[in-house]
Amino acid sequence: MNVCVFYYDGFCESEIVLSIWGRPVNFIFAALEDRIYISEEKQKYLPDKTIGELIPDDIDIFIIPGGDPSHLYDNIVLKDFIKALDEKNKWIAGICGGSFLMAKYGLLDGKKCTGSGSGVAPDSRFFPLYEKSHLVNEDVVIDGNKITATGQAFVEFAIAIGKVMGIYKNEDEIKMEYNWLKNIKG
């Protein structure tokens, strides 16, 4: 299983806590350029590959972290790559601001989705991005090959990604993982 996490300046690293670390997964960390990216939390990240070096057939899940990706809305290279993934029915997952990019690229047209920190309010500047989508008030939404999550639902997002990857044996294992990630005892 190849999981690609997309880096961009200002991405929110805390929203991509993945329960799949330590599992038999090949992680690819990609960005538009081969340079250091600084997260919202001011950590520095260097990608393994650029988007131009990736082959859509080699990616199983593409994860777009939250943050403010508005500077990427008109990026044709990224848009074409993500559209190629979608055409091959690859999983595309966006949390918080990551769903903004998905909506801007038309990936959520006609789809059930959620977005932003606590959803997308009608008076939000991001609301127009979802005019062709079906916004719902849920933490995580899976519709077709798309996963969207609110920013606070990073644990639920990780569990949803793990589920579509088939890494859990049963519901008890999911509950155990959830409780560990949320620091719930007992």
Side-chain angles (χ1 to χ4, degrees):
M1 177 79 48
N2 290 320
V3 176
C4 183
V5 178
F6 179 64
Y7 292 159
Y8 60 92
D9 282 322
F11 79 93
C12 186
E13 68 185 74
S14 64
E15 291 176 349
I16 54 167
V17 173
L18 300 176
S19 60
I20 54 180
W21 301 128
R23 308 277 181 157
V25 174
N26 180 43
F27 284 98
I28 303 162
F29 299 94
L32 287 167
E33 300 172 47
D34 184 16
R35 64 173 178 85
I36 292 174
Y37 287 82
I38 300 176
S39 71
E40 186 175 85
E41 295 84 358
K42 305 301 181 214
Q43 295 292 319
K44 295 177 181 179
Y45 290 85
L46 187 61
D48 299 318
K49 295 185 176 220
T50 65
I51 292 296
E53 296 172 314
L54 296 175
I55 300 168
D57 283 333
D58 295 342
I59 306 296
D60 297 301
I61 300 176
F62 188 78
I63 300 172
I64 308 167
D68 181 3
S70 59
H71 62 285
L72 300 170
Y73 287 173
D74 297 322
N75 189 292
I76 299 302
V77 171
L78 182 60
K79 182 177 181 178
D80 288 349
F81 178 76
I82 293 175
K83 291 273 194 168
L85 290 170
D86 192 39
E87 288 169 9
K88 294 180 178 295
N89 207 34
K90 302 294 185 163
W91 285 102
I92 302 169
I95 184 167
C96 197
S99 74
F100 299 164
L101 193 62
M102 292 171 70
K104 179 67 177 178
Y105 288 173
L107 300 172
L108 301 178
D109 290 359
K111 299 283 185 188
K112 239 176 72 170
C113 62
T114 192
S116 191
S118 54
V120 179
D123 61 346
S124 163
R125 69 182 174 111
F126 301 106
F127 190 76
L129 296 173
Y130 297 92
E131 66 186 355
K132 296 180 182 176
S133 307
H134 303 291
L135 278 169
V136 295
N137 188 18
E138 296 176 25
D139 288 338
V140 177
V141 176
I142 299 174
D143 190 346
N145 64 325
K146 314 295 186 315
I147 304 170
T148 54
T150 61
Q152 294 90 342
F154 56 90
V155 169
E156 293 81 358
F157 183 62
I159 297 289
I161 290 170
K163 283 181 182 179
V164 302
M165 291 175 60
I167 65 171
Y168 301 115
K169 294 179 185 101
N170 53 46
E171 287 297 318
D172 287 340
E173 189 175 353
I174 293 169
K175 183 178 179 184
M176 205 166 65
E177 184 86 2
Y178 179 84
N179 288 346
W180 185 84
L181 288 167
K182 289 282 202 172
N183 198 29
I184 298 171
K185 307 288 188 220

